[in-house]
Amino acid sequence: MSPSTTILCGALLFFLLVSSTLPAASFDCDAGDRAALLKIKKGLGNPRQLNSWIPATNCCNWYHVGCDSQSGRVLSLQLTDTYGVVADKVPAAIGDLPLLQVLALKNMPGLSGPIPRSFAKLRYLAGILIKNNSINGTIPRFFSNLPELRVIDLSDNKFTGPIPPGLSHGETPFLVLRNNLLTGEIPASYGDVEYTTFDVSHNRLTGSASFLFKNRSRSTFDISLSWNQLEFDITEAALPVKLRTLDVSHNRIRGGVPKALEDNYYMYRLNLSYNQLCGEIPTAGAMEAFGADSFLHNKCLCGPPLPPCRH
Ligand SMILES: *[C@@H]1O[C@H](CO)[C@@H](O)[C@H](O)[C@H]1NC(C)=O
Ligand SMILES: *[C@@H]1O[C@H](CO)[C@@H](O)[C@H](O)[C@H]1NC(C)=O
Ligand SMILES: *[C@@H]1O[C@H](CO)[C@@H](O)[C@H](O)[C@H]1NC(C)=O
Ligand SMILES: *[C@@H]1O[C@H](CO)[C@@H](O)[C@H](O)[C@H]1NC(C)=O
């Protein structure tokens, strides 16, 4: 994850949790939520990191759990770096925390199996960060129906199948599906969403992605499509002017380097390498910032910072 996306996620989590987590809650937690958490602990094989989850105690004081201080309802569950976990099922009991807004399951390489159907009950979920595990199966279509879901990061897992249409909505949607085994085409409807970050890199996606680049005025900051099998002509792409990073390396992208990039003054990382691009590289304006390793291994790109064109 780039520093900017980390900041963005951090800001979201802070916003959601600032009023909820107190170090030593005097109120008691909801009995149903406590029962669900205990099932989750059992489902994960009672890892050592969850030793504070003791049945007769207030679950709002348990590590990795955040509550609403008025109601004692669980709003966030963030299991990160729970190294010892070895489980072939994601606990379905997570779906029994009906007011959950933020769910993080991170850095548990021993956690496999699909996302359970019970997650469809999480109507208030705004952020789902299921990162760096071994979770497989398809990305559930029901994610598209969770009305508040706006930050989705499923990177570094083993998800297969297509990207369902309509994932993540609301203001400043954020979608990171990096490093999975996703196939098929990116649904063209993604071109209608103003993502802050859109990262589907390191998958097996095919077809076009030109529809992502049809409005220069969008507030999109980071786009990564690298390491797929995407095929389209990028010459006339309307790249958002506020883009900070654009990585489309290792695809089958055709055409020339977009002249419009000369006006992308916010861009600090550009990678068009390992594609089928051709022609002279524009060098004016913002393009001065980029060296040869932004353009290497294309079909016939030429001119500075690459060797001169042979006219
Ligand atoms: C994934 O998790 C493992 C185990 O916790 C950790 O060693 C590794 O650095 C993590 N990888 C990433 C990309 O965060
Ligand atoms: C998911 O992984 C588990 C454990 O490795 C395996 O048994 C199961 O067949 C996999 N399921 C899918 C749909 O790939
Ligand atoms: C382009 O995006 C901006 C910012 O979201 C929006 O206000 C504008 O209506 C869009 N233009 C078109 C033609 O879709
Ligand atoms: C672009 O991507 C290629 C391949 O992944 C990498 O070798 C190169 O260093 C990258 N260049 C930049 C400027 O990030």
Side-chain angles (χ1 to χ4, degrees), residues 40 90-98 100 103 114-123 125 140 142-143 146:
I40 294 164
V90 179
I94 294 172
D96 298 329
L97 296 170
L100 205 61
L103 173 64
I115 292 190
R117 181 68 219 167
S118 66
F119 281 26
K121 294 186 287 185
L122 300 174
R123 305 298 295 169
L125 206 58
F142 64 72
F143 275 2
L146 298 177

Side-chain angles (χ1 to χ4, degrees), residues 18-148:
V18 70
S19 63
S20 60
T21 317
L22 297 171
S26 47
F27 53 93
D28 198 5
C29 74
D30 178 81
D33 289 354
R34 175 164 41 225
L37 289 168
L38 290 168
K39 277 196 205 161
I40 294 164
K41 179 182 179 184
K42 187 161 179 250
L44 295 174
N46 299 309
R48 186 171 50 80
Q49 282 88 345
L50 303 186
N51 282 352
S52 69
W53 294 22
I54 298 164
T57 60
N58 181 355
C59 72
C60 294
N61 291 336
W62 296 355
Y63 286 123
H64 311 291
V65 176
C67 287
D68 174 79
S69 57
Q70 249 89 63
S71 62
R73 299 304 304 253
V74 173
L75 303 186
S76 83
L77 175 64
Q78 301 193 59
L79 297 172
T80 69
D81 303 296
T82 319
Y83 304 114
V85 168
V86 179
D88 61 5
K89 284 192 188 68
V90 179
I94 294 172
D96 298 329
L97 296 170
L99 301 188
L100 205 61
Q101 294 173 5
V102 175
L103 173 64
L105 301 171
K106 256 166 77 176
N107 300 350
M108 291 182 266
L111 181 62
S112 61
I115 292 190
R117 181 68 219 167
S118 66
F119 281 26
K121 294 186 287 185
L122 300 174
R123 305 298 295 169
Y124 296 94
L125 206 58
I128 187 159
L129 309 165
I130 298 191
K131 294 180 50 169
N132 191 23
N133 312 290
S134 301
I135 295 173
N136 60 4
T138 56
I139 299 176
R141 285 189 82 94
F142 64 72
F143 275 2
S144 309
N145 299 328
L146 298 177
E148 311 292 336

Side-chain angles (χ1 to χ4, degrees), residues 190-191 193-198 209-225 234 236-248 258 260-270 286:
Y190 282 99
V193 184
E194 190 168 8
Y195 280 100
T196 54
T197 294
F198 186 87
S210 59
F211 46 78
L212 296 174
F213 306 111
K214 60 184 185 194
N215 186 344
R216 295 271 289 160
S217 307
R218 288 220 178 118
S219 293
T220 300
F221 303 115
D222 302 284
I223 296 181
S224 185
L225 309 174
I234 202 168
E236 301 295 332
L239 302 163
V241 283
K242 291 182 183 159
L243 268 187
R244 299 177 302 204
T245 66
L246 176 68
D247 187 350
V248 300
L261 277 169
E262 293 180 335
D263 298 319
N264 273 75
Y265 282 100
Y266 295 90
M267 184 104 60
Y268 61 84
R269 199 161 72 82
L270 171 68

Side-chain angles (χ1 to χ4, degrees), residues 9 20 29 39 46 75 139-140 153 157 203 206 259 273 276 279:
C9 274
S20 60
C29 74
K39 277 196 205 161
N46 299 309
L75 303 186
I139 299 176
D153 186 343
N157 279 289
N203 279 290
T206 52
K259 179 96 176 133
S273 64
Q276 305 291 319

